């Protein structure tokens, strides 16, 4: 089974600061870290480390930053289909405060340049045993076209609609699993209670909704049931990319045949480990760590069922 990830790629510049800047405030950083990132790249890297066969499609620029991304993908053994566009590669500026809080500002010109025709060949390779993973970085028309093509091919579709830049109303019917955080769930579902909001999305067409709750873990919501997956207590230092770790592990577990109820605890455990380290793709859990976390999550789930 193949996981096709269609998304964005950025070079992340992370600055460690004493506190998040207030309006008009100038801060001196304690350190700077340069890493490959972007939600699409992050999720592709993690899914690959979690054991999935991954094909990754994204657009980069003509500058030196594109090489940072190429080197990361080569190091991960990813089958990439990078499209080169005129102009600079997308970038993210990340401010990191003690305790793991962050502020992120990103460009998205290269991501916005990816059109439906660019993804057509990759989508044609999908079959009923494959999965399509997408995020919210691309334009609405491209997102709609890719989701519809994935549905026609019979692939399992996982959508993480962050950042939310447009209305997803008529797109939910193409989605098997929507992954949203609490704020996104409330905004998209129109309810403060995450379960009620998730069920609104299900009523609109999504087959299932997973709500990530940070240190409280996650909820897996379907029309039949709600399952909670608690998170372990950890010392968080950098929450950047934790949601991407969650998505990558989730889709890899689903691709390997796990049920949604079994896949979510593994994703929670991996995301919890990721917040204990600084950086993005280079700091994500290794393949060995992800395998161990998955075994542990399975044992814990079996114990609760017993």
């Amino acid at each position: 089974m193949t996981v096709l990830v269609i998304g964005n790629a950025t070079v992340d510049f992370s600055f460690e600061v004493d506190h998040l800047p207030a309006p008009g405030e100038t801060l001196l950083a304690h350190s700077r870290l340069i890493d490959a990132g972007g939600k699409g790249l992050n999720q592709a890297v993690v899914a690959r480390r979690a054991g999935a066969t991954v094909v990754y499609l994204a657009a980069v620029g003509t500058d030196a930053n594109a090489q940072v991304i190429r080197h990361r993908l080569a190091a991960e053994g990813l089958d990439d289909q990078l499209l080169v566009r005129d102009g600079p590669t997308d970038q993210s500026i990340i401010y990191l405060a003690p305790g793991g809080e962050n502020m992120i500002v990103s460009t998205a010109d290269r991501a916005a340049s990816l059109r439906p025709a660019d993804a057509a060949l990759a989508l044609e390779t999908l079959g009923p045993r494959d999965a399509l993973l997408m995020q919210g970085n691309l334009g609405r028309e491209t997102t709609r076209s890719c989701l519809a093509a994935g549905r026609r091919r019979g692939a399992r579709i996982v959508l993480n609609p962050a950042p939310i830049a447009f209305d997803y109303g008529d797109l939910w019917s193409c989605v098997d699993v929507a992954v949203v955080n609490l704020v996104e769930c409330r905004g998209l579902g129109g309810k403060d209670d995450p379960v009620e909001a998730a069920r609104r999305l299900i009523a609109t067409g999504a087959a299932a909704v997973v709500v990530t709750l940070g240190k409280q873990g996650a909820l897996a919501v379907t029309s039949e049931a709600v399952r909670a997956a608690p998170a372990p207590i950890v010392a968080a230092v950098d929450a950047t990319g934790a949601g991407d770790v969650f998505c990558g592990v989730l889709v890899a577990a689903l691709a390997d045949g796990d049920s949604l109820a079994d896949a979510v605890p593994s994703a929670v455990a991996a995301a919890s480990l990721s917040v204990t380290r600084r950086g993005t793709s280079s700091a994500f859990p290794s393949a060995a760590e992800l395998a161990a976390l998955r075994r542990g999550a399975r044992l814990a789930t079996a114990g609760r069922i017993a």
Side-chain angles (χ1 to χ4, degrees):
M1 177 179 287
T2 296
V3 175
L4 172 61
V5 182
I6 303 177
N8 72 328
T10 69
V11 172
D12 295 347
F13 297 84
S14 300
F15 296 87
E16 185 180 357
V17 294
D18 288 328
H19 59 270
L20 298 181
E25 182 179 16
T26 299
L27 297 177
L28 294 178
H30 297 299
S31 66
R32 183 187 72 160
L33 177 66
I34 302 174
D35 202 356
K39 295 187 70 63
L41 184 147
N42 290 345
Q43 294 180 17
V45 165
V46 174
R48 177 73 181 89
R49 291 187 188 182
T53 300
V54 177
V55 176
Y56 169 59
L57 175 65
V60 297
T62 55
D63 56 356
N65 280 336
Q67 289 303 112
V68 175
I69 292 168
R70 292 184 185 280
H71 290 157
R72 169 56 55 196
L73 297 178
E76 300 294 338
L78 269 167
D79 180 2
D80 72 87
Q81 299 182 19
L82 291 184
L83 305 173
V84 179
R85 297 286 195 255
D86 289 336
T89 299
D90 288 333
Q91 299 179 8
S92 290
I93 304 298
I94 304 169
Y95 298 102
L96 304 173
E101 284 189 299
N102 63 39
M103 294 175 65
I104 303 174
V105 179
S106 299
T107 62
D109 293 335
R110 299 294 75 72
S113 75
L114 202 152
R115 308 304 301 159
D118 295 325
L121 288 178
L123 287 162
E124 286 179 5
T125 67
L126 289 176
R129 299 186 67 244
D130 298 321
L132 171 64
L133 174 59
M134 296 190 69
Q135 311 78 35
N137 300 96
L138 307 183
R140 190 182 196 282
E141 177 57 26
T142 299
T143 302
R144 184 205 62 77
S145 177
C146 291
L147 293 177
R151 175 58 71 229
R152 288 194 300 271
R153 304 290 298 181
R156 188 173 207 165
I157 298 175
V158 180
L159 174 66
N160 174 217
I164 299 173
F166 47 78
D167 174 54
Y168 283 85
D170 63 338
L171 304 184
W172 295 120
S173 60
C174 291
V175 177
D176 293 301
V177 182
V179 182
V180 291
N181 65 23
L182 181 58
V183 173
E184 294 158 355
C185 184
R186 287 170 170 167
L188 292 167
K191 295 286 186 179
D192 286 338
D193 180 82
V195 175
E196 291 182 10
R199 282 179 168 155
R200 287 277 295 272
L201 299 183
I202 291 171
T204 308
V209 178
V210 177
V211 187
T212 59
L213 303 171
K215 64 182 180 182
Q216 295 180 353
L219 298 172
V221 184
T222 66
S223 58
E224 295 84 21
V226 178
R227 293 181 180 270
I233 298 174
V234 298
V237 298
D238 185 357
T240 307
D244 298 332
V245 171
F246 185 98
C247 290
V249 170
L250 181 78
V251 75
L254 293 174
D256 195 39
D258 281 7
S259 68
L260 185 63
D262 288 335
V264 170
S266 297
V268 168
S272 297
L273 177 59
S274 75
V275 303
T276 66
R277 303 166 175 173
R278 299 196 186 279
T280 43
S281 59
S282 62
F284 291 158
S286 67
E289 289 172 327
L290 291 175
L293 288 171
R294 189 177 182 194
R295 288 193 297 270
R298 282 176 164 174
L299 289 172
T301 301
R304 286 196 295 272
I305 293 174

